[in-house]
Each structure stands twice: as C-alpha cells, then as structure tokens.
Amino acid sequence: MAATTAKVEAASALVWVSSGGSVATGAFSTDTGTVALTSANLLKYPTADLVLQFGCTTTIASTSQNVYVYKRGMNEGSAGNEDELAPGVSNKKGFVGSFIYGQTASAAATLLTSVIENVDISAGDCEFYLENTTGQTITAGWIFTVRPRTLSAV
C-alpha cells in the first residue's frame, strides 16, 4: 500500500467582525458577524483557525490573560431553522478555546494578536461569541477573523 501525504489547505480568511465595539471585563461581546459562517462558505472546511486582535488601555494582569470563545450552532434541528441559545454569563455552552495574551502594557492603537487553531466547524452554520476575562476593557476596534481549513491529498 502506498503512503499518502496530506497538506493543509486554507480558504480565504473571513473577517467575521471588522471593528467590534468595546467589551467590558467579565462581559460577552454583542457584535454580530459581518460574514455569515454557513455551509455555503464552510462546507468543505471541517476546521478553522480563529484570530483575535484587540487593544486595551492598561496592563493585563498575569492572572487574567484570557479571552474565551464560544460557538453557537445556527439553523439546526429537523426543520433546519433552529438556533442554539446564545452564550452568555448564565449559558457557557459551546466553549471552544481561549485566546491567551501575555502580560503587557498596550496602547489602544496597538493590537494584541492571538490564534486558536483547528476549531471544529464541521457541524455547519455557526456564530462565535467572546468573553473578556482580561481584567481590562477591550477597546472598540477589535478584529475577529475565521480562516477555514481542510486537508487534501498531495
């Protein structure tokens, strides 16, 4: 049997939120995506890399360096038109990972960047929500990008 190798193929990055509003510490983002994450653009991509860029006005404490990410399933059920409950303080279902930021002093104009790789998006249509636990307000203007990816034979 011949050995098979695979390569990662990525789709064009989808800028899901291009200029998000501020997110207070302990709060969830309320921005909705500007690009639909649907089977039309995700069908052949079972995973995605998520990239978050944001600024804050003061130092992030070493004990609270995370921005948590939650995924909400959309257009589910037998009729294909039912959505999961949106994540929030009392509903943390759908946790997919954390963006981790090192302790740093950041001016609002300097964007901190972090990546979560290989998030499962194979179930279909979805939305993402962020929970800010950095201890600092995320300033307006943050950017959240989804880069769908798959493996193909070489």
Side-chain angles (χ1 to χ4, degrees):
M1 184 183 279
T4 303
T5 58
K7 66 177 181 175
V8 174
E9 287 188 20
S12 297
L14 304 170
V15 179
W16 194 64
V17 175
S18 61
S19 186
S22 65
V23 183
T25 188
F28 277 74
S29 63
T30 57
D31 293 274
T32 56
T34 55
V35 174
L37 300 176
T38 66
S39 56
N41 56 16
L42 301 180
L43 187 59
K44 69 177 194 172
Y45 300 99
T47 65
D49 293 342
L50 309 179
V51 182
L52 177 63
Q53 297 176 289
F54 77 92
C56 58
T57 55
T58 58
T59 301
I60 297 173
S62 60
T63 56
S64 55
Q65 302 173 340
N66 300 302
V67 175
Y68 299 122
V69 182
Y70 300 86
K71 182 176 71 172
R72 175 186 185 195
M74 305 295 289
N75 302 320
E76 298 181 337
S78 58
N81 61 357
E82 299 168 6
D83 301 336
E84 290 183 348
L85 291 174
V89 174
S90 61
N91 175 28
K92 296 193 177 184
K93 180 182 175 194
F95 176 79
V96 296
S98 347
F99 291 109
I100 301 171
Y101 295 90
Q103 186 175 6
T104 183
S106 172
T110 302
L111 295 179
L112 303 171
T113 302
S114 187
V115 178
I116 301 174
E117 296 180 330
N118 294 319
V119 173
D120 180 8
I121 56 172
S122 62
D125 302 3
C126 60
E127 289 182 340
F128 290 100
Y129 290 77
L130 306 177
E131 180 186 15
N132 177 12
T133 64
T134 64
Q136 304 299 324
T137 296
I138 294 174
T139 57
W142 54 272
I143 303 165
F144 186 84
T145 305
V146 177
R147 185 172 297 117
R149 28 187 278 162
T150 191
L151 294 176
S152 64
V154 175

